[in-house]
Structures are given as structure tokens and as C-alpha cells.
């Protein structure tokens, strides 16, 4: 026989956003349960910021987000960063600022953020139902009923927060939950991996695997420049990674999905003009002319990367530098500013940090995060069609949307 358990609020998903909403709601005295499909909550949270949890950023400019900016702004106005940080402080997390405005827990441990959220939730009566994948939400006698795969129990309440996150970082893609959301009458915008590494089509990159450079990146779709960034670039066994690549990966993902030709151009000397590069190269060709060509760029740019530039400029590495012609010098200089690669694919959801796309935001109120299709149902975090750049923006959106939903629910249930 099924036991029907009654709560003020049911939160589906014990990730960043569900835990934050749970902590705020429990602190306000409401009886909540977090229904989580895994055996433990906050698994992804533990991986964030390489285990350090880059939980927000000082620069909350909307240009760091993709999605409806009016919708996002409204949420941030309702849940100011100052309030979010003071909630963290009140539950035991001291905040510290790192490079580029990134905010972290002072412990530099994602586990401390997870612990503090968990403790705050449980200390005030919050309950977890672990290993329970929510499968459906139905309305019965004016109450919302959440059914899980468990034969024995279902959960009943006036408010349900859907905080199920996206497919990024998951071992296997899981679109089940979208079916349930669509059944509620919601539109789900096409999803794709973002903040993800890219696979390249030339074998050349393999000779550079493991080498990092600081450089510029321009992304081309059907030969048109569509996005650029300047940051760290890392060559890998499958292609290319690093913050510069992650930051343009959303556009790469989109154009690949549309079947367009996608290319990357790496500028290895973004601080120099082409003319400056030509004259430096000319000087080097004279001063170290006795060495082999493989050493031409050594000491100027990363050796392995330099050798790959030379190879792709058609230079035989065993030649003497002094034998190189002016034309070859020009070719090498150009390649140093425009080292081109065809992008074959992204590295998939499994290796992505965030999912772009999701529940259409014009069907959700930014003042409450409540569904405009089904009263009492709220959406928070990555499941929504909002995603941010790398730098703490995705976690910040998870906290902010959770806070707006928690405030709205507290206000309604306590009146
Ligand atoms: C490797 C990695 C590093 C990252 N680093 C950062 C960073 O440093 N800074 C940053 O801002 N962002 C970072 N992100 C992104 C950030 O982690 C996410 O944007 C954020 O966790 C989203 O929060 P969420 O609550 O919406 O979803 P999640 O944190 O993914 O939580 C969703 C939860 O719902 C559960 N769930 C799903 N479906 C069901 C169901 N049907 N029933 C019950 N439970 C369900 C899941 O098991 C999960 O526990 C990183 C992501 C990855 C993968």
C-alpha cells in the first residue's frame, strides 16, 4: 500500500539550487523534503571549481549570461548578491574573492558548501528522500502529488520546486524528466552542452597535447567570425580545452548542431601585431640562424606548440633556420596569429559544465519562479533556459532563482 506523505514543500533535486531553496525554506519554518534520485545529494556541487566551488562572481553583469536578460535581471533584482552571500555567511561559509572577481568559500572546499547547506536544511527539520527519482507530478484534491519510482511512497504538498538541473556532467544523457515537464504543458528549448571542450579534426593537435598557452581564440561558423575570447588554451588528446575554449564553446555547440562548418583560429601572440611578429621572426632568423628550424620559435612561444606551427606552415624541422626564405617567414608569422583548426564536435554533455537550453523562461514568472501553466510548481537552476559563462555564474543563478522561489513560497504558505 502507498503511504502518502504530506509536506509544505517538495523539492525535486538535491543539487545546488534545490539545497539552497531547501535551506532557506527550512530556516523559515516550513516542512520540506528534498527528493533526490542519487544515493547522496550535491554530487555535482562537489566537482565545481575543481573542488573549490566558484560560487559567484563580483561582476554580475548580464552579459555573462545567455537567455532572456530581462528575465534574469528581474531574478537578480529580487535576490541581490549581497543577500545570497549573507545567507552563506549565516550558515557558516566565509567568502573570499579570487582572480577575475570569482568568489569562493574561504575553505576552498566545495564539500564545505555542501555540508553547510545540508546542515542548515536538516537542523531545521528538512528531510531527504534519497534514491527516489521523481517521475511525475499530478494534482489530486487540489494538492500536488509527486510520484517516484518507489512503489511504496508518494509525496504530497501545495508547492513543488523542480530543481533537477541539466544533463551536463552526467554519465549518461537523461531526458526522462523533460517528458514530465512537457506533460505539465511546458516548452523545453533544445538543449546542448556548453562550457565544454572541443574535438578537432587534425591529428596535429595531438603533438601539442598537455601544453598550455595564453592566447586569443576566434570562432568561425561558415567562415564568418562569430565569437572570440582571450584566456588560457590547453591542447589535449582529443582536441582543445582551457577557459578561452570553454567560453566560446556554447556558440560552437550551437553551430555544430545546425550542421554548419565550425573552425577555430588560435592567436598565439595576441599582444603583437602581424608586422611586429614579422620583424621579431626576421631578427630571430638572423640571430639563431645556425640552429635547426625546430628551434626557431623556442623561447618565444611554447616549444611543442611552436613545432606544430612550423609543421603546419610546411617547414621541414630538420632544415637550418638560415635556409628559410622570406616567404616561409611570412607564412610562419601569419600562422602564429591564425592557427586554424576544424571543429569536429564538442566533448559532449558528460564533459560539459553546463546545459544550454531547457524550460522556456516565458512560461515562468521571474518574480516567483512559478510556472505560468500549473500553479504551485516552481522551476529553479539549470533546468531553465538560462546559462552563464565560466566564473561562478551558473551557481549564482542556481542560488538566486532558488531564493526567489523560496521567498515566494514562504510568503504564500505563511499568509
Ligand atoms: C565539473 C563541473 C564543474 C562546475 N564548476 C562550476 C563552478 O565552479 N561555478 C559555477 O558557477 N558552476 C559550475 N558548474 C555548473 C554548476 O554545477 C551547475 O550549473 C549547478 O550545479 C546547477 O544547479 P542545479 O541545482 O540546477 O542542478 P544540479 O546541481 O545538477 O542538481 C540537480 C539535482 O537533481 C537531481 N535530479 C535530477 N532529476 C531528478 C529526478 N527526476 N528526481 C530526483 N532527483 C533528480 C540530480 O541527481 C541532482 O542532484 C560546474 C559543473 C560541472 C559539471
Amino acid at each position: 500500500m502507498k503511504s502518502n506523505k504530506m509536506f509544505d514543500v517538495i523539492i525535486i533535486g538535491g543539487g545546488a539550487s534545490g539545497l539552497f531553496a531547501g535551506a532557506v525554506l527550512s530556516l523559515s519554518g516550513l516542512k520540506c523534503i528534498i527528493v533526490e534520485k542519487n544515493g547522496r545529494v550535491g554530487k555535482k556541487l562537489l566537482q565545481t571549481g575543481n573542488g573549490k566551488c566558484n560560487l559567484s562572481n563580483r561582476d554580475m553583469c548580464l552579459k555573462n549570461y545567455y537567455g532572456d536578460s530581462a528575465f534574469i535581471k528581474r531574478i537578480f533584482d529580487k535576490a541581490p548578491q549581497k543577500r545570497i552571500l549573507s545567507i552563506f555567511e549565516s550558515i557558516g561559509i566565509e567568502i573570499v574573492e579570487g582572480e577575475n572577481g570569482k568568489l569562493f568559500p574561504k575553505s576552498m572546499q566545495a564539500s564545505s558548501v555542501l555540508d553547510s547547506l545540508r546542515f542548515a536544511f536538516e537542523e531545521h527539520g528538512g528531510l531527504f528522500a534519497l534514491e527516489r527519482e521523481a517521475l511525475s507530478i499530478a494534482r489530486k484534491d487540489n494538492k500536488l502529488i509527486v510520484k517516484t519510482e518507489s512503489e511504496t511512497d508518494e509525496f504530497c504538498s501545495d508547492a513543488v520546486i523542480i530543481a533537477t538541473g541539466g544533463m551536463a556532467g552526467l554519465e549518461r544523457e537523461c531526458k526522462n524528466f523533460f517528458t514530465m515537464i512537457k506533460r505539465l504543458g511546458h516548452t523545453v528549448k533544445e538543449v546542448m552542452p556548453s562550457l565544454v571542450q572541443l574535438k578537432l579534426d587534425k591529428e596535429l593537435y595531438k603533438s601539442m597535447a598537455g601544453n598550455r598557452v595564453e592566447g586569443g581564440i576566434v570562432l568561425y561558423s561558415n567562415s564568418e567570425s562569430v565569437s572570440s575570447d582571450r584566456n588560457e588554451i590547453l591542447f589535449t588528446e582529443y582536441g582543445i580545452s582551457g577557459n578561452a575554449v570553454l567560453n566560446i564553446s556554447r556558440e560552437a555547440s550551437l553551430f555544430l548542431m545546425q550542421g554548419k562548418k565550425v573552425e577555430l583560429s588560435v592567436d598565439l601572440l595576441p599582444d603583437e601585431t602581424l608586422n611586429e611578429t614579422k620583424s621579431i621572426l626576421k631578427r630571430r632568423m638572423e640571430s639563431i640562424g645556425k640552429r635547426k628550424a625546430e628551434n626557431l620559435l623556442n623561447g618565444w612561444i611554447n616549444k611543442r606548440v611552436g613545432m606544430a606551427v612550423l609543421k603546419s606552415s610546411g617547414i621541414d624541422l630538420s632544415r637550418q633556420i638560415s635556409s628559410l626564405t622570406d616567404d616561409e617567414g611570412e607564412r610562419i608569422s601569419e600562422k602564429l596569429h591564425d592557427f586554424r583548426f576544424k571543429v569536429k564536435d564538442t566533448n559532449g554533455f558528460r564533459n560539459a559544465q553546463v546545459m544550454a537550453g531547457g524550460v522556456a523562461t516565458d512560461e515562468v514568472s521571474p518574480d516567483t519562479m512559478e510556472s505560468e501553466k500549473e500553479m504551485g510548481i516552481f522551476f529553479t537552476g539549470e533546468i531553465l533556459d538560462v546559462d552563464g559563462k565560466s566564473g561562478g555564474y551558473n551557481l549564482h543563478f542556481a542560488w538566486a532563482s532558488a531564493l526567489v522561489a523560496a521567498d515566494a513560497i514562504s510568503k504564500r504558505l505563511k499568509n
Side-chain angles (χ1 to χ4, degrees), residues 20-25 28 30 83 161 368-369 378 380 400-412:
F20 198 80
V24 174
L25 285 162
S28 81
L30 292 173
R83 192 165 154 229
I161 299 180
T368 57
M369 305 314 296
F378 298 76
T380 64
S401 53
L403 183 53
V404 172
D407 281 348
I409 294 170
S410 292
K411 199 168 156 199
R412 183 176 305 165

Coordinates of all heavy atoms in Angstrom, one line a residue, residues 20-25 28 30 83 161 368-369 378 380 400-412:
F20 N 19.8 25.0 -1.8 CA 19.7 26.3 -1.3 C 18.3 26.7 -1.0 O 18.0 27.3 0.1 CB 20.3 27.3 -2.4 CG 20.6 28.7 -1.9 CD1 21.8 28.9 -1.2 CD2 19.8 29.7 -2.0 CE1 22.2 30.1 -0.7 CE2 20.1 31.0 -1.5 CZ 21.3 31.2 -0.8
A21 N 17.4 26.3 -1.9 CA 15.9 26.6 -1.6 C 15.5 25.9 -0.4 O 14.8 26.4 0.5 CB 15.1 26.1 -2.8
G22 N 16.0 24.6 -0.2 CA 15.6 23.8 1.0 C 16.1 24.5 2.3 O 15.4 24.6 3.3
A23 N 17.4 25.0 2.2 CA 17.9 25.6 3.4 C 17.1 26.8 3.8 O 16.7 27.0 5.0 CB 19.4 26.0 3.2
V24 N 16.8 27.7 2.8 CA 16.1 28.9 3.1 C 14.7 28.6 3.6 O 14.2 29.2 4.6 CB 16.0 29.8 1.8 CG1 15.2 31.1 2.0 CG2 17.4 30.3 1.4
L25 N 14.0 27.7 3.0 CA 12.6 27.3 3.3 C 12.6 26.7 4.7 O 11.7 27.0 5.5 CB 12.0 26.4 2.3 CG 11.6 27.0 1.0 CD1 11.4 26.0 -0.1 CD2 10.3 27.8 1.1
S28 N 12.9 29.2 7.4 CA 11.7 30.0 7.6 C 10.6 29.2 8.3 O 9.5 29.7 8.5 CB 11.2 30.5 6.2 OG 10.5 29.5 5.5
L30 N 9.3 26.1 7.3 CA 8.4 25.3 6.5 C 8.9 23.8 6.5 O 10.1 23.6 6.6 CB 8.2 25.8 5.1 CG 7.5 27.1 5.0 CD1 7.5 27.7 3.6 CD2 6.0 27.0 5.4
R83 N 22.5 39.6 -0.5 CA 21.7 38.8 0.4 C 22.1 37.3 0.3 O 22.1 36.6 1.3 CB 20.2 38.9 0.0 CG 19.3 38.3 1.0 CD 17.8 38.7 0.9 NE 17.1 37.7 1.5 CZ 16.0 37.1 0.9 NH1 15.6 37.6 -0.2 NH2 15.4 36.1 1.5
I161 N 9.1 22.4 -6.0 CA 10.2 23.1 -6.8 C 10.8 22.0 -7.6 O 11.3 21.0 -7.1 CB 11.2 23.7 -5.8 CG1 10.5 24.8 -4.9 CG2 12.3 24.3 -6.6 CD1 11.5 25.5 -4.0
T368 N 8.5 35.0 -9.1 CA 8.3 34.0 -8.1 C 8.9 32.6 -8.5 O 9.0 31.7 -7.7 CB 6.7 33.7 -8.0 OG1 6.3 33.4 -9.4 CG2 6.0 34.9 -7.5
M369 N 9.3 32.5 -9.7 CA 9.8 31.3 -10.4 C 8.7 30.2 -10.5 O 8.9 29.1 -10.8 CB 11.0 30.6 -9.6 CG 12.2 31.5 -9.3 SD 12.7 32.4 -10.7 CE 13.3 31.2 -11.9
F378 N 7.2 25.3 -9.3 CA 8.3 26.3 -9.4 C 9.5 25.7 -10.1 O 9.8 24.5 -9.8 CB 8.7 26.9 -8.0 CG 7.5 27.5 -7.3 CD1 6.5 26.8 -6.7 CD2 7.4 28.9 -7.2 CE1 5.4 27.4 -6.0 CE2 6.4 29.5 -6.6 CZ 5.4 28.8 -6.0
T380 N 13.7 26.1 -10.7 CA 15.0 26.9 -10.3 C 16.2 26.2 -10.9 O 16.2 25.0 -11.2 CB 15.1 26.9 -8.8 OG1 15.4 25.6 -8.3 CG2 14.0 27.5 -8.1
A400 N 20.3 32.2 -6.8 CA 19.3 33.4 -7.0 C 17.9 32.9 -7.3 O 16.9 33.3 -6.7 CB 19.9 34.3 -8.0
S401 N 17.8 32.0 -8.3 CA 16.5 31.5 -8.6 C 15.8 30.7 -7.5 O 14.6 30.8 -7.2 CB 16.5 30.7 -9.9 OG 17.5 29.6 -9.8
A402 N 16.7 30.0 -6.7 CA 16.2 29.2 -5.6 C 15.6 30.2 -4.5 O 14.6 30.0 -3.9 CB 17.3 28.4 -5.0
L403 N 16.4 31.3 -4.3 CA 15.9 32.3 -3.3 C 14.6 32.9 -3.7 O 13.7 33.1 -2.8 CB 17.1 33.3 -3.1 CG 16.8 34.4 -2.0 CD1 16.5 33.7 -0.7 CD2 18.1 35.2 -1.9
V404 N 14.5 33.3 -4.9 CA 13.2 33.9 -5.4 C 12.0 32.9 -5.2 O 11.0 33.3 -4.6 CB 13.3 34.3 -6.9 CG1 11.9 34.8 -7.4 CG2 14.3 35.4 -7.1
A405 N 12.3 31.7 -5.5 CA 11.2 30.7 -5.3 C 10.9 30.5 -3.8 O 9.7 30.5 -3.4 CB 11.6 29.3 -6.0
A406 N 11.9 30.4 -3.0 CA 11.7 30.1 -1.6 C 11.0 31.3 -1.0 O 10.0 31.1 -0.2 CB 13.1 30.0 -0.9
D407 N 11.4 32.6 -1.3 CA 10.7 33.7 -0.8 C 9.2 33.7 -1.2 O 8.3 34.0 -0.3 CB 11.3 35.0 -1.4 CG 12.6 35.4 -0.7 OD1 12.9 34.8 0.4 OD2 13.3 36.3 -1.2
A408 N 8.9 33.4 -2.4 CA 7.5 33.4 -2.9 C 6.7 32.4 -2.2 O 5.6 32.6 -1.8 CB 7.5 33.2 -4.4
I409 N 7.3 31.2 -2.0 CA 6.6 30.1 -1.4 C 6.3 30.4 0.1 O 5.2 30.2 0.6 CB 7.3 28.7 -1.6 CG1 7.3 28.3 -3.0 CG2 6.7 27.6 -0.7 CD1 8.3 27.2 -3.4
S410 N 7.3 30.9 0.8 CA 7.2 31.3 2.2 C 6.0 32.3 2.3 O 5.2 32.1 3.2 CB 8.4 31.9 2.8 OG 9.4 31.0 2.8
K411 N 6.1 33.3 1.5 CA 5.1 34.3 1.6 C 3.7 33.8 1.4 O 2.8 34.0 2.2 CB 5.4 35.4 0.5 CG 4.8 36.7 0.7 CD 5.4 37.7 -0.2 CE 4.4 38.9 -0.4 NZ 4.6 39.7 -1.6
R412 N 3.5 32.9 0.4 CA 2.2 32.3 0.1 C 1.7 31.4 1.2 O 0.6 31.5 1.7 CB 2.2 31.6 -1.2 CG 0.8 31.1 -1.5 CD 0.7 30.4 -2.9 NE 1.2 31.2 -3.9 CZ 1.5 30.8 -5.2 NH1 1.4 29.5 -5.4 NH2 1.9 31.6 -6.1

